[in-house]
Amino acid sequence: MFSGNIIRFIHVGYTVFNASNKTLLSKLRKQTGYTFANCKKALELNDYNYSLAEKWLQDQAQQLGWSKATKLEGRITAQGLVAVGMEKNNAVIVEVNCETDFVARNKNFSSLVELAATTCLNHTASVPVGSHLSRFQLDAEILKSLKVHDGKTLSDHLALVIGKVGENLSLRRATCFHAADGILLAGYAHPSPNFQSSVLLGKFGAVVAYQADSPSQSDTKLRENLSVDEIGRQLCQHVVGMNPVKIGEVGQDTPANNPDDESCMIYQEYLLDPSQTVGEMLASTSISVLDFARYECGEELLENTENNSSKVAVEIGG
Amino acid sequence: MAICRIGFAVFKKTALYQVRTLSLFLNESKYNTQVKLCCDERYWEVDWSDQQVRYLTSKTVPVSDDIKHCNVGTIGHIDHGKTTLTAAITKVLEEEGYSRFVSYEEIDRAPEEKARGVTINATHVQYRTKMRHYAHTDCPGHSDYIKNMISGASQMDGAIVVVAATDGQMPQTREHLLLAKQIGIKNIVVFINKVDLVDEDVVDLVEIEMRELLNDFGYDGIVTPIIRGSAKLALQGDNSEMGKKSIISLMKAIDEHIPTPTRDTTSPFILPIDDAFTVPGRGTVVIGTLERGVIKKNDEAELLGFNVKKSTSVADIQIFKKSVPSAEAGENLGVLVRGVRLQAVERGMLLCARGSMDISNCFESEIYFLTKSEGGRSKPVTSKYIQQFFSKTWNILCRVDVKEGEMIMPGEHARVIITLLRGMVLLEGQSFTIRENNQTVATGIVAKILPSVSLINTKLHKVQIPNVHN
């Protein structure tokens, strides 16, 4: 075991630890942020040469992270963040988990989630796609093996952060959308965090793919106050808040008896204006929803639901 | 069966809520449906299985059994030994003859708790030192501590921050201290754990770093006690400096550094009114428990609440039918007020030193919306949410506004702005609930009083509300 090695090392390889060494240790710890045990080991192995020790730590960081990751493997990760990344005609929604929500609020972790989202975006852009709307799922194994811009894999980066925060972390899942011209994508994450980031981060996330027909005379008035983009964002907010199971189709699906149990999006009360249903709102603004994805951090997943819905999505898109 | 001592007014009006809270506090009564209360110098019995409050006995309670109480909690990284430390504290204090030992396993598998209907993942352990009785809380996550604070399950007077000497502070230690700030913890004691695994020099550095970090977060890094030890050794019965003795110094530091919450007797007095009646030939008497300060005969006073601001003065003070020249916070009393007609007084109003308080109908609040399984809503809340607001002995229509364009999902807590139909006196930290169709859907505390907003024709939905910050 890793920690066992350190203890043994300190006990056996005891050297006179004077005041200047103490300053070095303090400085190294401040600069690198690695644990005291590791900083001390780095200094001892490098004869208290600061730059060598720092280099050793950086070289070892990956390995130290991996050994910590192996040690913590299997511990339950039910907290975390959902990230929604958008770029041109691509959108991704990614979930990364950790053990406590303290870590979920920490910058080290949120940067990792941002990195995962942008990596998935790049991956989506590189995959050859069909002519309409394509959607595909990335599971934990694929996510781990994705290459980041610096040549390392996402799981390497994951291990580095595990080494820093000392909690088990896991890349759980991602859904990627690639839209052809004319199809719009909107994303939303809730609750919106207090800090700025390149992607949207929250406990919930949604991506909606929709089409906006050119509005007729009367519709222009309805859309007057809201741009199509804003309606897209509100649709995502609706998906997060009302948790629809499917979009639904007039004629095929019937509204539920109790409006509170409605799981068909078009029959649900529109979150931002409960006086109308989503279907009515869409009709009045000449917008049609093609597909959506909703992530709730830590939610239980039913087997294969994602696969089924992606099939439906392809059919709608095609 | 637990015995609690609370103010009479609190007991009379909101006994069920208070009792639930108190029983959670006292842990042992968790599995009982009955609690014995000591109140108005008599014992009362409360049975909330059928929501009944029964008078038990008129036996007067000896005052001397009063022991000071303090609420503490542990915060720290999951692998730094919080649970071991808690177990070690109970073990050492048991040896000292004050407490019952609670094993690691018992603390670890604590069931979920419900306070005011809110499910909280929390462990409550109680122990005693020579000086005080402690309720010790440990929660796994940030949101559990927030829920704990909002629902009032156990307000923490101080925190023990646990940090392992092997690792030093972690990146998320910043989040731990931010939390402590957020839930209003003013005093912290640090326990550096696992010191048996590293050299003393490293422990020195861990301590220096912790002191710097405490300063960064507005705590006093110089006077904050930092205790070094090994909870594991203490638990194993080691009597060395690192073992048992470190736990004893930790408890001593907590006894000394975290002050017992005291009744405020120096601020201007506040008397929330529970009831009022007329004494023929004399005038109107208002009844309540003095919340803070000292009230004296002939004090200039003001009657506030429900948009009313009426100047008056204290003609007489009575405690247990005896006239007294003055009374201190915590006492249940009747006040004869000059020039006030009975019709002008409503339950929920407040009598205070003239000019010391003001009414407002708008404030910021920290609120938690119950999940559907807790009996709350199934849908999120957006702005202009209008429902009935309950606090202390009064209730009134209110409107809840969230940050522009945002929403609150059931099970989430957030900062919101609440506007009441009429101006009331609100105190920071005052708790309230919001009910919809006779179901509690939210519970919260007042965070910051804002200037009143004017309501035209009492139409809440038309008011312009200031933006929610944060």
Side-chain angles (χ1 to χ4, degrees), chain B residues 9-10 86 97 100 166 183 191 222 234 253 255 292 300 325 356 363 369 376 384 395 399 454 461 463 470:
Chain B
V10 179
T86 312
R100 183 184 72 85
T166 45
I183 61 177
F191 185 74
I222 297 163
D255 275 345
R292 72 170 200 212
E300 305 249 284
S356 65
F363 62 94
F369 277 88
K384 293 193 186 181
N395 68 83
R399 165 175 155 180
S454 57
H461 61 279
V463 184
N470 176 38

Side-chain angles (χ1 to χ4, degrees), chain B residues 292-324:
Chain B
R292 72 170 200 212
V294 176
I295 185 169
K296 289 193 291 289
K297 246 186 217 180
N298 295 322
D299 269 355
E300 305 249 284
E302 208 166 15
L303 194 64
L304 301 171
F306 299 105
N307 275 358
V308 172
K309 274 179 88 168
K310 187 163 176 46
S311 287
T312 175
S313 65
V314 178
D316 191 15
I317 305 166
Q318 288 206 346
I319 300 176
F320 291 116
K321 293 177 182 158
K322 260 191 267 166
S323 180
V324 292

